[in-house]
Amino acid sequence: MAKQGAAGAGSGAGAGAGPGGPVLDEAGLQQLVAEADTGGRKPGGVVEQLLLWVAVGWSLFQLWYASPLPFALGVGVLNDTEARSWHLAIGLFLAFLAYPAFRSSSRSRVPLADWVLAIVAGGCAAYIALAAGGLAMRPGQPSGTDIVVASIGLLLVLEATRRAVGWPMAALALIFIGYIFLGPYMPEAIQHKGASLNRMLSHQWLTTEGVFGVALGVSTAYIFIYVLFGALLDRIGAGNYMMQVSFALLGHLRGGPAKVAVVSSALNGLVSGSSVSNVVSGGIFTIPMMKRAGYGGIKAGAIETSSSVNGQIMPPVMGAAAFLMVEYVGIPYSEIVRHAFLPAVISYISLFYIVHIEALKLGIEPMTSARERGFGSTLIAWGLGLTGSVIAVTLIYWAALGARALAGDAAPWVMGALLGGLYVAAVVFAARRDEVDFASFDFEVQPQTWPTVRAGLDFLIPIGVLVWCLMVEDLSPALAAFWATAVLLAMIVTRPALVAAVRGRGALGAAWRRGLVDLREGLATGARNMIGIAVATATAGIIVGAITLTGIGLMMTEFVELVSGGSLVLMLLFTAFVCLVLGMGVPTTANYILVATLMAPVIVELAAQGGLVIPLIAVHLFVFYFGIMGDITPPVGLASFAAAAISGEDAIKTGLQGSVYALRTVILPFVFVYNPALLLIGVDSWAEIALIALAGTVASMLFAAITMNWMRVRLRVWEWLALVVAMVLLFRPDVVWDAIYPEFENRPASEVFRIAGELPEGRLLVLRISGTTIEGDDVSKTVALSLPDRPRPAAGTAAPADPPDPVALGRQRLSQAGVTLTGLGDRVQVAAVRFGSRAKRQGIEQGFDVSGVLVHADRPSVHWPYLPAFLLAGLVWWLQGRRLPAAGGPARGAGSLGDGRAASGR
């Protein structure tokens, strides 16, 4: 509903052609999204119905797989490999039917050849599940049938990738396949002994090292259910609800349409991970409004692109690649959300400030509010609204906790009944007072805030269920998404009938049918959105399989060390460059898989050998952040092309301008690699979190001012330099403090167990280890191990009277992290490291000696450098304010109003 309404509202404003290219109408925009996300074919008739119901069936299959029902009923239980097999089989079948072979191919019919390819590709993928018993009986000894199926399947996966994802990714996979065979002929730095055709095919198709590996497993277990959740939430109208709430809150401000674009994209990012879809569904409203306000087409498209792409870093859903971190980093998804939250919010606040600066530079005046009221009335209204919201959320939270504590085994039923009552009350409350249509809306007049908010309060319920299940119940990401989706399914079916019954208008039968149609279309859309992701993760598995088969991952350490000269900054720049280059033709998910597999372990290892403490999650978020930039950066940024299609401007210029706005996102990964406090690592209190959040936000806003050369008026040279100093102190207070007070003090290795037991939650255990690698090299390095939280007493039970022995607790926490240490007098050695554990991923190796434990030194707070930074930034702000009258106001002070508008396409 949200996308349809958006397209409908924007088509009138988008007729004709802009100076840089044609403005697409409703059909053109929908086709653009289809070509990028769901496949461009609309064959009609029986074939279209087949595509629809196969997609619906895929969604139902994934819901079944994510649910606890198979285990509760003892029916339809699938192991990981079988589930991956069926997941890819359906994805390949739909890929060949939904995606045409070429640009010139018909979109209205499916050729016979594509039918054959769809059936054969689906059969080859399903073969892994159907022949699972036989394959298990002949490991490493494939039969002739196995080889034939693997050969055809591998070729068809590459062809499906070319259609659904693009030729660059298919070509990259072919390069890695070629590398498998050409290893003996490669330069010495990347040389290997090669592999036979049978071994390659067996490794890539018949095991879980290649196509059916971790990446496809994450797509099957996590990504699908979250993409489906976002599609269903969008179908019910939540996307447009977020847009309208943003407009009601911000439409009256200076540069209001651009600020609406930023905030609505942040809210949409809660549930959607598709950059192109976000651009089209929101940009059809905001881009024409920004152009009318005075931003111009290029800047309007760039603002929408930057804000929509950043939706992939906004928890709790984030982009599909975030779920891969669960496997690669080895920590729960709730921890990933906690680490990623603050940088995402800071990035959006900084973009909000950027569009405000652009409004100042262009002399854009505030829009007229729908109603005028004094400052006191506004303050009272906001105070009542925020206070009421906090009270309502608190009551709901405590009611849920009370039901869980008092109801015992019946708690899920009691909480379900409370949730149902809350949903009915929210819909009835909204339906009796408002008739806001989330499919079409008049954006010429700013709506009142509270009526707009209350018209869709029930849309927040599924998001609340998701966050509750992830953060409070600590369920797996898949199970949390299943329960949130189950709530959403019930809402889609019942909401139209409930609204019709309350308002007393319209036939209930028609309302029920409309709900069922929305359910069907939402299930189908979610599945079709997954086609490209399923195919991309399968192809990423080919690349990962080539890496594991050839051992190039181990060679990369020496290669990157040679290229960077051991400099962490150069390593990070090299990694960022690789991500940006790959992002030109590889989607975010595949980009993350490839770079995280090749580069993340290298950065952690070389940093550890250099004595630097870098948490593993910081490196993976670094790769993730630069992976999403491929949707902006020209010449292939799809989100920029989508925005340019709406604005009618040049896509390359839009992408370049968007890249300038995205610099505030680009700088954050470099910051949190060196300052993990931004990821809430090593933070001890809520007061410290608030201080770090304030400092990070101000620093990012200062960076925006520096890159835009504007704060309240144009920056003078000394002001620019002063803001640079203030920004560095706020982002990296440790630069000054570590030079005065050492961060760590060394403790004997024999104290490691006691220190591990006493270590507060959220702190890293920092160890110095040394030993000889399997290549015979003597290595000393510093590793930072994230320990599991301390065990807590079960709900309803009292804490033990005596605190646990810290040494025993330390051994337990180390064991849970995957490492076993043995002490022989003052000597401590790594006895065992569990495969795939946190310890293994962080670079701890069996047989190494622990030469010391680094604990945080007792020193003054590292946050003291914030004080001069705030004073310096405040001084620049105050002095610029004194220049405002002399400059004749922001617009004339820019001295470039005409230039700004001309450059932005007006």
Side-chain angles (χ1 to χ4, degrees):
M1 288 175 65
K3 291 179 185 176
Q4 292 172 348
S11 58
V23 181
L24 297 184
D25 58 8
E26 176 184 353
L29 288 170
Q30 295 302 323
Q31 184 65 24
L32 179 67
V33 175
E35 295 284 353
D37 288 345
T38 63
R41 275 206 181 115
K42 294 183 179 179
V46 176
V47 177
E48 185 167 0
Q49 288 298 308
L50 176 66
L51 279 171
L52 172 71
W53 287 107
V54 170
V56 170
W58 194 13
S59 291
L60 294 176
F61 165 76
Q62 294 290 159
L63 282 169
W64 174 265
Y65 180 65
S67 76
L69 292 175
F71 300 97
L73 302 176
V75 177
V77 178
L78 300 174
N79 61 39
D80 289 346
T81 304
E82 291 171 335
R84 296 173 191 181
S85 173
W86 289 115
H87 176 80
L88 182 59
I90 303 173
L92 288 175
F93 180 80
L94 288 174
F96 283 105
L97 297 184
Y99 286 87
F102 305 103
R103 289 184 179 272
S104 58
S105 300
S106 172
R107 265 61 176 167
S108 59
R109 69 180 186 87
V110 180
L112 178 61
D114 283 357
W115 281 107
V116 174
L117 293 176
I119 294 171
V120 173
C124 289
Y127 179 81
I128 303 301
L130 296 174
L135 291 172
M137 297 298 294
R138 49 179 186 275
Q141 297 177 329
S143 66
T145 303
D146 297 340
I147 295 300
V148 171
V149 169
S151 302
I152 297 173
L154 209 59
L155 290 173
L156 292 182
V157 164
L158 292 173
E159 168 59 13
T161 302
R162 184 191 67 81
R163 295 185 182 203
V165 183
W167 65 264
M169 187 171 184
L172 188 63
L174 282 172
I175 290 172
F176 272 87
I177 291 175
Y179 175 67
I180 293 175
F181 298 116
L182 300 176
Y185 311 103
M186 291 286 109
E188 184 177 355
I190 56 173
Q191 193 176 83
H192 65 96
K193 64 180 182 180
S196 66
L197 177 64
N198 278 14
R199 187 183 176 202
M200 185 277 290
L201 291 171
S202 178
H203 187 84
Q204 294 283 16
W205 196 265
L206 304 177
T207 71
T208 55
E209 295 292 331
V211 170
F212 298 95
V214 171
L216 189 65
V218 172
S219 175
T220 306
Y222 304 138
I223 298 176
F224 192 108
I225 191 71
Y226 278 87
V227 170
L228 178 61
F229 176 76
L232 291 170
L233 201 56
D234 189 55
R235 184 73 192 180
I236 202 174
N240 266 14
Y241 171 69
M242 303 293 188
M243 171 74 68
Q244 292 171 25
V245 168
S246 303
F247 189 75
L249 289 170
L250 306 168
H252 64 288
L253 300 178
R254 183 191 294 271
K259 293 171 180 176
V260 169
V262 174
V263 174
S264 63
S265 293
L267 294 175
N268 273 327
L270 295 173
V271 297
S272 174
S274 171
S275 302
V276 177
S277 178
N278 282 355
V279 167
V280 172
S281 61
I284 196 67
F285 290 127
T286 59
I287 290 176
M289 285 196 299
M290 283 188 274
K291 291 177 68 175
R292 289 197 297 271
Y295 280 98
I298 290 175
K299 289 185 177 179
I303 289 169
E304 180 60 46
T305 299
S306 299
S307 54
S308 294
V309 166
N310 264 41
Q312 293 189 66
I313 64 174
M314 177 58 73
V317 174
M318 304 175 67
F323 300 102
L324 290 157
M325 290 187 204
V326 176
E327 301 295 328
Y328 283 115
V329 183
I331 62 177
Y333 187 70
S334 57
E335 287 190 34
I336 291 175
V337 169
R338 178 167 61 87
H339 294 316
F341 180 74
L342 184 56
V345 172
I346 288 174
S347 179
Y348 267 111
I349 293 175
S350 182
L351 181 59
F352 191 91
Y353 183 53
I354 285 174
V355 301
H356 180 72
I357 291 176
E358 288 286 19
L360 291 176
K361 294 173 71 174
L362 296 172
I364 297 173
E365 295 299 326
M367 296 175 62
T368 302
S369 179
R371 54 176 177 165
E372 299 293 338
R373 61 185 180 190
F375 177 77
S377 300
T378 302
L379 192 63
I380 292 173
W382 273 93
L384 291 175
L386 292 175
T387 303
S389 300
V390 171
I391 292 174
V393 171
T394 303
L395 289 175
I396 293 171
Y397 175 76
W398 285 109
L401 286 182
R404 188 174 66 168
L406 298 176
D409 293 338
W413 298 101
V414 174
M415 293 177 70
L418 291 175
L419 189 65
L422 179 65
Y423 161 64
V424 172
V427 174
V428 171
F429 178 73
R432 282 180 174 175
R433 291 166 174 79
D434 305 287
E435 296 191 25
V436 177
D437 184 0
F438 293 117
S440 60
F441 198 78
D442 181 11
F443 280 86
E444 295 298 326
V445 179
Q446 185 195 1
Q448 296 182 8
T449 303
W450 172 235
T452 306
V453 170
R454 72 187 180 199
L457 285 174
D458 52 299
F459 294 150
L460 304 179
I461 292 176
I463 301 174
V465 171
L466 177 65
V467 173
W468 175 274
C469 291
L470 280 173
M471 300 299 186
V472 180
E473 298 292 342
D474 202 21
L475 300 181
S476 70
L479 193 55
F482 167 76
W483 289 118
T485 305
V487 170
L488 192 50
L489 292 174
M491 287 176 56
I492 288 179
V493 174
T494 59
R495 194 178 195 277
L498 191 55
V499 171
V502 172
R503 291 179 177 169
R505 296 194 299 273
L508 288 180
W512 279 107
R513 286 192 295 272
R514 187 166 69 253
L516 291 173
V517 169
D518 284 342
L519 175 62
R520 182 195 66 190
E521 296 299 321
L523 290 171
T525 301
R528 292 194 63 162
N529 284 339
M530 270 300 301
I531 297 173
I533 296 175
V535 172
T537 51
T539 307
I542 296 175
I543 297 171
V544 174
I547 293 170
T548 58
L549 185 59
T550 60
I552 190 176
L554 298 175
M555 307 173 203
M556 284 299 294
T557 303
E558 297 180 5
F559 177 73
V560 173
E561 186 175 21
L562 178 65
V563 170
S564 65
S567 168
L568 178 61
V569 173
L570 291 180
M571 275 190 284
L572 294 174
L573 288 173
F574 180 73
T575 303
F577 175 76
V578 170
C579 288
L580 291 175
V581 171
L582 288 175
M584 293 181 183
V586 175
T588 302
T589 304
N591 191 342
Y592 170 76
I593 293 169
L594 178 59
V595 182
T597 303
L598 276 176
M599 298 296 299
V602 175
I603 294 174
V604 172
E605 178 65 23
L606 293 181
Q609 292 181 20
L612 300 173
V613 179
I614 301 180
L616 187 60
I617 182 63
V619 178
H620 281 265
L621 282 173
F622 181 96
V623 173
F624 181 40
Y625 267 58
F626 277 95
I628 70 171
M629 290 298 107
D631 282 342
I632 299 179
T633 50
V636 193
L638 292 179
S640 297
F641 275 86
I646 299 172
S647 66
E649 301 293 345
D650 184 81
I652 301 298
K653 292 180 180 178
T654 301
L656 290 173
Q657 184 66 57
S659 300
V660 173
Y661 293 151
L663 287 175
R664 97 277 172 206
T665 301
V666 168
I667 193 67
L668 284 174
F670 287 96
V671 174
F672 60 60
V673 162
Y674 284 97
N675 182 17
L678 208 59
L679 302 178
L680 304 184
I681 295 175
V683 179
D684 298 326
S685 66
W686 283 104
E688 189 177 9
I689 290 175
L691 183 59
I692 290 170
L694 175 63
T697 302
V698 173
S700 187
M701 294 171 68
L702 295 181
F703 180 80
I706 291 166
T707 56
M708 302 290 290
N709 198 31
W710 196 280
M711 199 173 195
R712 302 175 76 178
V713 293
R714 187 181 300 279
L715 293 174
R716 292 173 175 170
V717 174
W718 77 266
E719 292 174 333
W720 192 91
L721 294 174
L723 292 186
V724 169
V725 173
M727 178 195 68
V728 172
L729 290 176
L730 291 173
F731 268 146
R732 293 286 315 280
D734 55 302
V735 169
V736 175
W737 228 232
D738 290 350
I740 303 173
Y741 305 99
E743 181 181 5
F744 296 105
E745 61 182 45
N746 195 33
R747 297 286 180 84
S750 57
E751 296 183 22
V752 62
F753 300 110
R754 180 184 60 79
I755 293 172
E758 296 174 347
L759 197 70
E761 295 177 4
R763 291 279 185 177
L764 299 173
L765 179 65
V766 184
L767 305 174
R768 291 190 189 275
I769 62 175
S770 59
T772 304
T773 65
I774 58 175
E775 293 86 9
D777 299 326
D778 292 330
V779 172
S780 296
K781 53 186 179 180
T782 304
V783 295
L785 182 60
S786 173
L787 296 179
D789 294 342
R790 301 183 185 189
R792 293 183 174 87
T797 62
D802 297 324
D805 176 26
V807 173
L809 180 59
R811 290 183 183 275
Q812 178 184 350
R813 296 179 77 185
L814 286 166
S815 177
Q816 291 173 344
V819 61
T820 301
L821 303 179
T822 57
L824 301 172
D826 292 335
R827 183 184 179 191
V828 177
Q829 190 175 50
V830 180
V833 182
R834 190 169 65 248
F835 179 77
S837 64
R838 299 186 187 186
K840 186 67 176 178
R841 291 183 173 96
Q842 197 61 52
I844 297 178
E845 300 184 42
Q846 184 173 340
F848 273 43
D849 289 329
V850 178
S851 55
V853 185
L854 297 181
V855 298
H856 285 274
D858 185 13
R859 62 176 184 171
S861 173
V862 75
H863 306 308
W864 277 110
Y866 290 162
L867 183 58
F870 284 133
L871 292 174
L872 196 56
L875 175 64
V876 174
W877 176 271
W878 177 70
L879 290 175
Q880 287 216 325
R882 297 186 64 186
R883 300 213 317 268
L884 277 175
R892 291 193 295 274
S896 58
L897 175 59
D899 295 340
R901 289 184 173 178
S904 57
R906 282 178 62 83

